[in-house]
Amino acid sequence: MKVQELKHAGLKKWVEDAVALMSPDSVEVCNGSQAEYDRMIQITIDNGLATPLNPQKLPGCVLFRSDPSDVARVENRTYIASEQESDAGPTNNWINPDELKKTMTELYRGSMKGRTMYVIPFSMGPVGSEIAKIGVEITDSPYVVANMHIMTRVGTKVLDVLGTDGYYVPCFHSVGKPLGTGEKDSGKWPCAPLDKKYISHFPDTREIWSYGSGYGGNALLGKKCLALRIASVLARDEGWLAEHMLILKISNPQGEVKYITGAFPSACGKTNLAMLIPKLPGWKVETVGDDIAWMKFGKDGRLYAINPEAGFFGVAPGTNRESNLNAMETIKKNTIYTNVALTEDKDVWWELIGHDAPGKLIDWNGNEWIQDKNNKDQKPAAHPNSRFTGPAKQCPAIANEWEDPAGVPISAFLFGGRRPKTIPLVNQAKSWVHGVFMGSIVGSEVTAAALDVKAGTIRRDPFAMLPFCGYHMGDYFKHWIDIGKKAEADGKGDKLPKIFFVNWFRKNDKGFIWPGYGENSRVLAWIFERCDSKGKFVDTPIGILPTPDAISRPDGVSEADMQELLKVEIEGWKAEIADVRQNHYPKFGGKLPKELAVELDAIEKRLNT
Ligand code: GTP
Ligand code: SPV
Ligand code: MN
């Protein structure tokens, strides 16, 4: 479709202005069709950026290898450019919005020379549903167009909902690599150098400007940029929640159903938990979403969650038929792979895929790679943040109601992170505010999901939202406190989800103590019972823990292991709390809600008596 055919005058003008600034060779409005998707893929194949995979093994699948400087989100190039610096808060990078727009306007000037500009109308959430939000992304990357087709709902049907004057979030994206006359990408992933990359959000005007990166959350602007950073601001203003959470449906052997959401930092197990196949007989888990939840109160006082996305942008390494069969089944066809390794017969391979590398591979850098199991220092063949983009509807475990615009009623919130020590397998909050306290102090070993933070060290990642909150984190904590207060004031406090902290990642000298994955169903079963105030428990200084026999033991986990997993480690907790008091909470200054300061004093007191 041509720009001239756009019926929305504001949108048409916005696109025309962008064309004048970015000087693409041509412009196309995306219709969202299969033919369009196929054409995008063909363009990237012709450019040498994509490799078609073996049609017998992986029909409709392709592999991309990105630039080594462009393999993950770039947190220190991500900006919350609110009018007031104080609104961005201590955990976000801030630049004055006028100044940032000036800088970026110069970067965008002529940035699409030699390329086609694609205009992508997309809906986060089912098209036309009341809860959905519409965005329009302008991009010069056919890779982004193809990914957006899978991750969001794209095309003419979205324009129909927009009509002649509907509201949309305007999103600019350019890879920042204009082409000279006759120049082609010729196999070289286009992007700008790190110090020219900008992932910018203007929360006051609700705009997103991204420049210089073509990868994941930096470039697929519906996901972290719109559905979390901008949506968190809308949620604060409108009294709902936009969270970095999976959504799962769980049924017990009696067929009773509950819905649970979980916030774990990037690469800490959301996709895996959302698709879990229970090891506990008779239990069933189905997937509603694997990364983002938008939640609003229903008339009955319960919180209802929708998944605003339409696909999974999941971590490849560690995914195998044992750990996540549903993901492996989802990504057998119509899937985009990025930065995994390629086998000689055009199949994919990654670390812990479940079998040894079959012969000679091409690694994510495009070099020959032969597995050497004697060399512990061998560089991985797949990048640790290599990913698959697969359609959610292909997931064998997708819940029937996953696209229900009314959402699903949530019984429990889980928080968690990678904590090798101290933090028990599961711990229930004593109250809403205690649960908010737990969320506010989430810490996790850093993973490869962001480029510029050192993997392996523990950092605080409150609510798993550190890189995704579009405003002051202290105000965000207050928003959570207020959600609880509002429910109490409405006499609906008992309808609020119960809050739990889980940790699948406790280690001893032999490695992970808890086998994780499907075995996590044993913990979910206890959580399920606790939502109905059942299940065996002990009230401890740190929270409500299962008794050692309350959770059935998987093979290989001894009674002693179980005791260790569920022990209250007073000294470790004192250190944890001291760290919160000295290094974490002071960051929020006067914006730290007093309820959380009270909660901190209270847990400290309980640990000391
Ligand atoms: P993002 O997409 O970055 O938000 O990540 P995520 O939270 O969805 O994480 P994901 O489920 O993709 O898991 C990331 C890594 O953690 C993968 O390598 C998994 O194999 C591993 N993992 C997931 N669940 C478990 C678990 O229960 N135990 C252990 N030991 N590892 C796990
Ligand atoms: C994450 O890092 O939390 C992701 C991947 O889900 S990305 O879309 O790149 O943000
Ligand atoms: Mn994520």
Side-chain angles (χ1 to χ4, degrees):
M1 178 178 169
K2 298 210 163 44
V3 180
Q4 295 84 316
E5 295 168 53
L6 284 170
K7 293 196 186 75
H8 189 297
L11 175 59
K12 185 157 161 278
K13 168 88 172 42
W14 176 68
V15 174
E16 285 165 350
D17 289 350
V19 171
L21 176 65
M22 301 176 191
S23 315
D25 281 8
S26 56
V27 192
E28 227 182 85
V29 180
C30 298
N31 61 22
S33 66
Q34 182 64 40
E36 180 175 272
Y37 178 88
D38 294 343
R39 191 159 47 83
M40 293 302 120
I41 295 295
Q42 193 56 50
I43 290 170
T44 58
I45 292 171
D46 295 344
N47 279 337
L49 295 172
T51 307
L53 294 169
N54 186 327
Q56 260 78 50
K57 292 186 165 177
L58 295 164
C61 297
V62 283
L63 166 67
F64 287 81
R65 282 188 285 272
S66 74
D67 187 86
S69 76
D70 202 24
V71 292
R73 285 180 294 98
V74 280
E75 294 187 4
N76 66 7
R77 305 295 308 169
T78 299
Y79 296 91
I80 300 297
S82 40
E83 300 286 342
Q84 302 296 321
E85 181 170 6
S86 56
D87 285 342
T91 57
N92 284 314
N93 300 311
W94 180 85
I95 297 179
N96 172 287
D98 297 333
E99 193 186 307
L100 182 54
K101 281 193 171 171
K102 222 192 235 162
T103 306
M104 290 189 74
T105 299
E106 289 321 305
L107 291 171
Y108 282 133
R109 197 176 301 286
S111 74
M112 294 191 181
K113 277 202 183 117
R115 299 188 184 276
T116 299
M117 173 191 279
Y118 301 99
V119 180
I120 316 171
F122 65 94
S123 176
M124 299 311 289
V127 178
S129 97
E130 232 171 79
I131 204 166
K133 301 269 180 244
I134 291 177
V136 181
E137 176 166 353
I138 280 178
T139 181
D140 52 5
S141 162
Y143 169 83
V144 165
V145 177
N147 274 271
M148 288 293 283
H149 265 243
I150 298 175
M151 294 305 297
T152 75
R153 285 108 174 153
V154 166
T156 316
K157 52 192 193 264
V158 179
L159 289 178
D160 292 344
V161 174
L162 262 189
T164 55
D165 60 355
Y167 180 75
Y168 64 94
V169 176
C171 311
F172 281 161
H173 174 251
S174 171
V175 293
K177 176 72 182 75
L179 296 169
T181 319
E183 193 190 351
K184 295 216 162 62
D185 287 322
S186 305
K188 195 172 176 338
W189 175 270
C191 63
L194 193 58
D195 65 343
K196 291 280 184 314
K197 292 188 199 331
Y198 286 89
I199 319 299
S200 304
H201 308 74
F202 303 93
D204 300 283
T205 48
R206 295 172 186 167
E207 295 167 281
I208 298 161
W209 288 22
S210 166
Y211 180 90
S213 165
Y215 199 86
N218 298 333
L220 314 178
L221 302 184
K223 194 174 179 57
K224 298 304 162 69
C225 299
L226 195 161
L228 289 178
R229 298 197 190 95
I230 295 295
S232 63
V233 173
L234 303 176
R236 173 199 62 187
D237 294 347
E238 298 167 7
W240 51 284
L241 294 168
E243 301 298 330
H244 190 203
M245 289 180 171
L246 70 100
I247 312 167
L248 65 80
K249 172 183 180 182
I250 179 165
S251 311
N252 71 4
Q254 289 73 46
E256 291 162 346
V257 171
K258 290 191 198 301
Y259 301 91
I260 296 176
T261 65
F264 314 147
S266 301
C268 291
K270 290 183 298 300
T271 300
N272 278 270
L273 195 71
M275 298 180 189
L276 163 151
I277 298 175
K279 291 278 166 130
L280 269 184
W283 289 76
K284 189 164 148 194
V285 167
E286 292 161 90
T287 313
V288 178
D290 82 323
D291 199 50
I292 299 178
W294 285 353
M295 287 170 283
K296 294 189 175 167
F297 282 108
K299 287 200 181 68
D300 58 0
R302 299 190 70 186
L303 271 170
Y304 285 76
I306 71 148
N307 169 14
E309 303 192 277
F312 308 125
F313 184 62
V315 179
T319 308
N320 60 59
R321 299 186 73 80
E322 185 56 35
S323 66
N324 193 345
L325 180 63
N326 285 317
M328 293 301 280
E329 290 293 316
T330 305
I331 61 180
K332 267 171 134 170
K333 55 182 185 188
N334 311 321
T335 293
I336 298 172
Y337 291 92
T338 310
N339 289 340
V340 303
L342 179 69
T343 71
E344 280 174 306
D345 69 344
K346 301 265 187 282
D347 199 350
V348 290
W349 191 87
W350 50 76
E351 279 63 31
L352 302 177
I353 195 173
H355 55 84
D356 289 343
K360 209 162 51 185
L361 306 184
I362 304 294
D363 72 10
W364 72 273
N365 280 304
N367 300 322
E368 271 192 12
W369 190 96
I370 297 167
Q371 191 167 27
D372 178 3
K373 291 205 272 188
N374 297 321
N375 176 7
K376 284 219 162 53
D377 297 327
Q378 187 176 28
K379 294 245 171 66
H383 187 277
N385 192 44
S386 53
R387 301 235 170 199
F388 51 78
T389 319
K393 61 172 188 281
Q394 288 183 189
C395 178
I398 200 81
N400 279 334
E401 54 277 59
W402 84 279
E403 294 192 280
D404 186 344
V408 295
I410 302 304
S411 296
F413 288 144
L414 314 185
F415 295 117
R418 291 176 180 261
R419 296 300 301 265
K421 298 208 161 59
T422 309
I423 310 300
L425 180 63
V426 59
N427 179 8
Q428 183 184 357
K430 293 166 187 270
S431 66
W432 178 262
V433 176
H434 182 217
V436 175
F437 171 78
M438 284 177 167
S440 77
I441 68 166
V442 168
S444 190
E445 276 185 328
V446 169
T447 64
L451 196 64
D452 37 30
V453 280
K454 207 167 132 236
T457 52
I458 288 184
R459 73 165 178 180
R460 298 279 163 208
D461 187 347
F463 291 77
M465 283 289 277
L466 182 73
F468 309 121
C469 183
Y471 60 102
H472 195 298
M473 187 63 82
D475 289 334
Y476 170 92
F477 295 162
K478 178 164 186 306
H479 181 53
W480 268 80
I481 299 273
D482 287 347
I483 290 272
K485 278 194 184 151
K486 183 187 173 296
E488 294 289 350
D490 294 347
K492 301 266 173 62
D494 60 329
K495 300 280 198 299
L496 285 168
K498 306 280 183 291
I499 302 179
F500 299 82
F501 203 103
V502 296
N503 179 21
W504 317 136
F505 299 96
R506 276 290 284 270
K507 281 185 180 162
N508 59 18
D509 47 8
K510 292 195 281 300
F512 291 117
I513 308 176
W514 181 254
Y517 302 103
E519 302 290 9
N520 293 335
S521 55
R522 298 174 196 275
V523 177
L524 292 181
W526 184 76
I527 289 169
F528 189 105
E529 291 172 0
R530 291 301 302 146
C531 288
D532 295 330
S533 301
K534 295 185 205 146
K536 288 162 92 178
F537 68 94
V538 275
D539 198 356
T540 80
I542 59 169
I544 298 165
L545 298 190
T547 55
D549 62 341
I551 291 177
S552 60
R553 273 193 286 122
D555 287 346
V557 176
S558 68
E559 211 174 313
D561 289 337
M562 207 65 198
Q563 263 157 17
E564 186 173 348
L565 288 166
L566 295 175
K567 201 167 120 193
V568 181
E569 294 190 2
I570 297 286
E571 290 314 311
W573 271 93
K574 281 185 181 169
E576 176 80 1
I577 294 304
D579 180 58
V580 170
R581 186 180 289 289
Q582 281 153 30
N583 304 314
H584 182 48
Y585 271 5
K587 279 187 250 162
F588 308 106
K591 292 243 189 196
L592 184 81
K594 62 175 184 317
E595 290 85 350
L596 294 185
V598 168
E599 207 59 42
L600 180 68
D601 289 345
I603 188 168
E604 199 170 57
K605 203 167 145 212
R606 292 197 299 268
L607 287 167
N608 281 315
T609 49

